[in-house]
Amino acid sequence: MLRVALPNKGTLAEPAATMMREAGYRQRSDSRDLSVVDEENEIEFFYLRPKDIATYVGKGDLHLGVTGFDLMEESGSQVQEILALGFGKSRFHFAAPADSDWKLEDLDGRKIATSYPRLVRSHLSGKRIGAEIVKLDGAVEISVQLGLADAIADVVSSGRTLRQHGLKVIGDPLATSQATLIEREKRPDRAEDEHTTALKRIFAERLKGVVLAREYLMMDFDCPESLLSEVEKVAPGLQAPTVSPLRKAGWVAVRTMVPSKDTNRVMDKLATIGATAILTSEIRSCRAMSSDRAPEV
């Protein structure tokens, strides 16, 4: 049976559970449950602290895990990314007092509070900046106000929390992050049975299908057959559009996948070309056979 770790709380927990349901997997109905077994799919989910997931996977106690890319990097565990999941996106920044005009190099010799000491040390070392790292498990923003640190390094979304505590971002992001499917690093001395490998591949493919479905909409429309070459330039789909003849002579029905962010622009162009009855619908899940999108497990 495949053993998979999911976040038990925090901003990644509910989106992760939602993705599992969309991929066809059973999830817990009570947030106090620490595990749930999906017998039909031969998988058991364990709900753990996001910071601990990479550690369990790296030690081989669990086959796969979903956690933040930043938490994976901070853990230092022997794990690797299989698939970026498209939710929980964040940026990791340094922040200093709002009334300062500091640049990144001004952090040299100062105290920096953070919950990610490994990431911060690595970044500063690469910039040849020496600073004292103050490790905190939370409420990092208040550390400057309390005199514990001169600056902080933390996840930043809107920046509202920073402003509330008289801080502002300085420099470019140290890193960007999002929810990530991880596994233990592959090594020749770590043999894995074929059944487990097959279950991992199915799991990764299902999640990849959900990620892809969220990036695209299905678009249907009618157009004169003579315009197909122009239509394919505007809406080529993943491989090629599906084209079916209509009862109206010289006309065809076209179905194709379009990136969600481009939907209205594509509809505008199709209408200009001569397409009619253009409509879109959501895709719940899908499979893409293109090798460049296939997760390696």
Side-chain angles (χ1 to χ4, degrees):
M1 183 166 286
L2 196 67
R3 300 190 303 275
V4 179
L6 297 178
N8 66 339
K9 59 183 178 180
T11 57
L12 299 181
E14 189 53 40
T18 298
M19 176 169 279
M20 297 307 122
R21 293 187 185 97
E22 290 181 11
Y25 294 108
R26 180 187 172 196
Q27 288 296 288
R28 61 182 180 175
S29 55
D30 189 330
S31 61
R32 293 171 295 184
D33 292 341
L34 300 180
S35 65
V36 65
V37 176
D38 183 341
E39 294 281 0
E40 182 179 350
N41 290 296
E42 297 184 67
I43 188 168
E44 184 171 9
F45 292 100
F46 295 85
Y47 300 91
L48 308 172
R49 288 202 321 162
K51 285 188 174 183
D52 296 335
I53 289 175
T55 301
Y56 282 104
V57 175
K59 289 182 177 179
D61 299 315
L62 298 169
H63 297 114
L64 300 170
V66 173
T67 190
F69 185 82
D70 55 345
L71 297 175
M72 179 191 81
E73 292 284 281
E74 176 63 27
S75 74
S77 301
Q78 296 180 358
V79 295
Q80 61 188 27
E81 179 185 34
I82 298 177
L83 179 67
L85 299 178
F87 64 87
K89 294 182 179 181
S90 62
R91 294 171 290 113
F92 198 70
H93 275 281
F94 288 110
D99 58 359
S100 72
D101 58 354
W102 292 357
K103 298 181 176 59
L104 185 62
E105 52 268 27
D106 294 314
L107 296 177
D108 191 54
R110 300 186 186 273
K111 291 182 179 180
I112 302 175
T114 184
S115 299
Y116 300 80
R118 186 172 180 272
L119 276 176
V120 174
R121 285 194 185 98
S122 176
H123 185 81
L124 291 177
S125 176
K127 300 291 185 180
R128 299 183 179 275
I129 296 173
E132 180 183 343
I133 305 301
V134 180
K135 184 181 183 303
L136 298 177
D137 288 328
V140 174
E141 297 88 353
I142 198 67
S143 61
V144 175
Q145 189 175 338
L146 293 176
L148 185 64
D150 301 306
I152 70 167
D154 202 15
V155 172
V156 176
S157 52
S158 66
R160 182 176 61 86
T161 305
L162 292 182
R163 291 190 294 273
Q164 286 178 338
H165 293 90
L167 301 173
K168 67 176 181 181
V169 165
I170 60 172
D172 296 325
L174 287 78
T176 57
S177 180
Q178 65 177 296
T180 303
L181 178 65
I182 62 173
E183 67 174 348
R184 194 181 191 189
E185 285 183 352
K186 296 182 183 297
R187 284 188 356 198
D189 61 335
R190 293 173 179 169
E192 188 174 78
D193 67 87
E194 292 184 5
H195 186 59
T196 298
T197 300
L199 289 176
K200 286 171 65 175
R201 181 170 292 279
I202 290 171
F203 184 80
E205 285 289 345
R206 284 197 188 186
L207 295 195
K208 186 188 71 170
V210 175
V211 171
L212 191 61
R214 291 177 175 182
E215 293 176 354
Y216 285 82
L217 289 174
M218 187 65 72
M219 184 172 290
D220 293 272
F221 56 90
D222 300 337
C223 73
E225 189 172 8
S226 60
L227 298 178
L228 277 179
S229 60
E230 293 182 62
V231 163
E232 289 192 47
K233 293 177 183 177
V234 176
L238 291 185
Q239 294 177 317
T242 299
V243 180
S244 305
L246 292 176
R247 293 185 65 180
K248 184 178 180 180
W251 280 71
V252 292
V254 180
R255 165 166 281 199
T256 186
M257 290 173 65
V258 176
S260 301
K261 60 183 178 61
D262 297 334
T263 301
N264 287 301
R265 180 184 59 80
V266 171
M267 293 177 78
D268 293 341
K269 289 187 175 181
L270 289 174
T272 300
I273 290 172
T276 63
I278 308 169
L279 60 89
T280 61
S281 55
E282 291 185 354
I283 305 170
R284 292 301 303 272
S285 188
C286 64
R287 294 291 187 276
M289 301 305 293
S290 176
S291 60
D292 64 329
R293 297 190 70 102
E296 295 293 333
V297 295

